[in-house]
Amino acid sequence: MTDSSQVPAGTEHQSLYKMAQAQFERAADVVELEQGLREILKQPKNEIIVNFPVKMDDGSYRMFTGYRIQHSNILGPYKGGIRYHHDVNLDEVKALAAWMTWKTALAGIPFGGAKGGVNVRPAQLSNDELMRLTRRFTHALGTNIGPEYDIPAPDVGTNGQTMAWMMDTYVNTVAIVDRTRGRGVVTGKSLNCGGSAGREKATGQGVCLVIEAWAKARNLAVKDLKVAVQGFGNVGYFTAKIISDMGAKVVAVQDHTGAHLNGRGLDVEGLKRHNAQTGHLNGFPGGEDASLEAFWSVDCDVMVPAAIENQVTGKTAPLIKAKLIVEGANGPTTPAGERELARRGVEVIPDILANSGGVIVSFFEWLQNRSSEYWSLETVDQKLKDIILRAYSQVVKTAADRRCDNRTAAYCVGIKRISDAYKERGIFP
Ligand code: NAD
């Protein structure tokens, strides 16, 4: 988890929720979704906003605003991450919640979609302040979350420690007999706290699995690929690490502190150590510091935006040399960026497919908590591979059958599952 308050340069202002709705409408047209279901699915079911006080280390009190948006639970409990970032707002969280609905439906796992967050700069808070903020936020959410109802997970600015505090707070507010079951209220926990093997790396691993599948279909070897990664947090770091372990060259990494390039391939572990020691990428001896423009125009085959939204824009997309964009982040490509990529025939593997590894292994964690089991890493890895590659094949096939782009195809698969469930159940009363 990292603070990203310093370099939002190049970010194109874009209402994420409008962007998510336009993506949905495009696919709804393709599957000829009936008007009533469009109206239902365009809105989140519940919008929860809480204002809560936190005692700071100097004894003062500060008020914070937190959100939990529950978009859909037609296929199972609401599911989605909790973000701590200074840009968190209602519009953003509504878009992120809707994307979770399409993501879980596309993966074919029995969850719905939700997202939450607190508007805060986490790097400016001490560890104790973050703990009190997390506990107070969880308390404010109360029974709006629960292991059978709404299950948070880590996202930007949060991690396994945040989940341990959320889980501990939640189980201490429910009846004693429900405490063991209550551990399943969040996923992305550490192994000590009931997490799953393979969860921490799962999103990056899923990104690498789809890159491998894309390459295989084109008779390309992963070891011959040059990959650039934006973001060096959970998703960015594990993507860079796993793809370089698979033999590819990670030629560029960029985060909120700067960019670093090496055409012969960066030592990802060395860069991680440097980043942990100094707090930034610049100055790493195994390559050269670079400008934002140099990062976006780097010579590479695959570009993985794995930081925040609105990064592949009308300004940055024309610079990109990659043949493939794999959206590790949620909503990294703006409509102007997407038009430019389409114009040049650059393929995009959309966020709701590319970064679904995290929620897929969160599902495994939830199943393990329910049955008091621990699965081996091999079991988790294999099951993740099966599910994400099945979703990938469905998207590729749908894109070919419907003659549409991958994003629209991914939505079509998810929307179809949800609309089938609505049609059979009907709308109450
Ligand atoms: P994180 O907090 O661990 O890392 C975020 C990274 O983004 C950091 O390296 C930070 O430096 C970088 N960053 C922030 N602002 C930036 C900017 N303006 N320019 C360049 N880099 C910037 O977060 P994460 O969990 O890795 O999440 C990254 C993205 O992946 C988000 O869009 C998130 O919603 C999505 N995602 C995460 C998961 C997960 O399991 N953690 C799952 C699915 C999707």
Side-chain angles (χ1 to χ4, degrees), residues 65-367:
T65 301
Y67 304 85
R68 187 69 182 168
I69 304 300
Q70 297 167 332
H71 180 263
S72 170
N73 63 349
I74 182 83
L75 298 179
Y78 299 111
K79 184 83 189 89
I82 297 282
R83 180 173 286 200
Y84 287 175
H85 191 271
H86 57 276
D87 282 336
V88 164
N89 60 68
L90 185 59
D91 178 273
E92 176 186 79
V93 188
K94 278 166 75 173
L96 291 163
W99 282 326
M100 286 306 299
T101 297
W102 316 127
K103 194 180 300 182
T104 53
L106 168 62
I109 56 178
F111 282 145
K115 202 83 178 192
V118 178
N119 188 298
V120 59
R121 291 180 191 270
Q124 292 183 357
L125 267 56
S126 71
N127 199 51
D128 281 356
E129 288 170 336
L130 275 177
M131 179 188 69
R132 289 194 292 274
L133 176 133
T134 303
R135 289 189 182 282
R136 210 39 222 246
F137 177 45
T138 310
H139 186 262
L141 290 176
T143 52
N144 288 301
I145 57 172
E148 301 289 336
Y149 180 64
D150 183 356
I151 307 146
D155 191 71
V156 174
T158 59
N159 57 22
Q161 175 63 77
T162 324
M163 294 304 112
W165 290 327
M166 284 195 88
M167 183 265 279
D168 187 68
T169 307
Y170 177 81
V171 298
N172 277 294
T173 57
V174 296
I176 292 174
V177 291
D178 289 330
R179 290 194 182 160
T180 301
R181 197 180 60 88
R183 290 186 317 163
V185 66
V186 289
T187 58
K189 304 180 288 289
S190 67
L191 281 172
N192 290 334
C193 293
S196 174
R199 172 60 185 89
E200 201 183 5
K201 68 177 171 112
T203 309
Q205 176 141 1
V207 168
C208 296
L209 286 167
V210 297
I211 294 174
E212 189 180 35
W214 174 88
K216 197 172 161 196
R218 285 154 189 80
N219 287 323
L220 298 170
V222 172
K223 69 175 177 45
D224 296 330
L225 296 178
K226 284 182 274 183
V227 180
V229 181
Q230 188 198 32
F232 204 54
N234 175 284
V235 184
Y237 161 68
F238 279 109
T239 297
K241 176 183 164 36
I242 295 167
I243 208 74
S244 74
D245 287 349
M246 289 162 79
K249 283 191 182 70
V250 176
V251 293
V253 171
Q254 188 237 326
D255 76 355
H256 72 283
T257 65
H260 205 76
L261 314 187
N262 184 339
R264 293 186 310 282
L266 285 160
D267 164 15
V268 175
E269 287 304 295
L271 186 61
K272 184 172 191 238
R273 278 194 301 276
H274 172 83
N275 193 31
Q277 280 158 10
T278 64
H280 48 75
L281 301 177
N282 290 343
F284 177 57
E288 60 192 77
D289 295 343
S291 65
L292 276 180
E293 193 172 340
F295 170 78
W296 289 109
S297 30
V298 72
D299 176 26
C300 66
D301 305 296
V302 181
M303 170 73 77
V304 182
I308 52 166
E309 51 266 17
N310 294 342
Q311 297 300 300
V312 179
T313 63
K315 204 167 133 190
T316 57
L319 306 174
I320 294 175
K321 302 218 169 54
K323 307 178 210 31
L324 176 69
I325 308 288
V326 184
E327 294 182 335
N330 286 306
T333 310
T334 67
E338 189 139 49
R339 279 193 298 277
E340 170 63 16
L341 296 175
R343 190 185 68 76
R344 291 197 290 120
V346 179
E347 202 174 339
V348 176
I349 300 184
D351 43 13
I352 60 170
L353 170 60
N355 68 36
S356 62
V359 74
I360 292 169
V361 177
S362 276
F363 170 52
F364 302 156
E365 179 176 334
W366 183 73
L367 285 176

Side-chain angles (χ1 to χ4, degrees), residues 50-56 60-66 129 131-137 139-140:
V50 291
N51 296 308
F52 57 94
V54 176
K55 188 172 187 181
M56 309 308 281
S60 67
Y61 287 89
R62 240 178 92 184
M63 290 300 291
F64 289 88
T65 301
E129 288 170 336
M131 179 188 69
R132 289 194 292 274
L133 176 133
T134 303
R135 289 189 182 282
R136 210 39 222 246
F137 177 45
H139 186 262

